[in-house]
Amino acid sequence: MSKKVKIALAFGLQLAMIGAIGDFVGWPYMKYVLIASGISFGLTLIFFIADNIKE
């Protein structure tokens, strides 16, 4: 995996963890954090597929 795939995956996992804990605790705006996490996972898939096509 390339560096940008790893960074996007780590960012998405961290946002998902923050969103899950924040939703459980009742913090506001966690819906948007989870949406951002989903977008990050989508970017991870796009970057991963693009890197595999290049090789």
Side-chain angles (χ1 to χ4, degrees):
M1 283 192 294
S2 71
K3 188 174 182 178
K4 62 182 168 183
V5 174
K6 291 179 184 178
I7 290 172
L9 184 61
F11 189 70
L13 287 173
Q14 288 176 356
L15 282 177
M17 185 64 73
I18 291 169
I21 292 171
D23 190 41
F24 179 75
V25 175
W27 292 342
Y29 306 113
M30 287 301 111
K31 178 179 162 185
Y32 301 114
V33 173
L34 292 172
I35 289 171
S37 173
I39 291 170
S40 179
F41 281 124
L43 286 174
T44 301
L45 288 174
I46 291 169
F47 291 153
F48 183 72
I49 291 169
D51 284 344
N52 284 335
I53 288 173
K54 277 195 253 180
E55 292 179 2

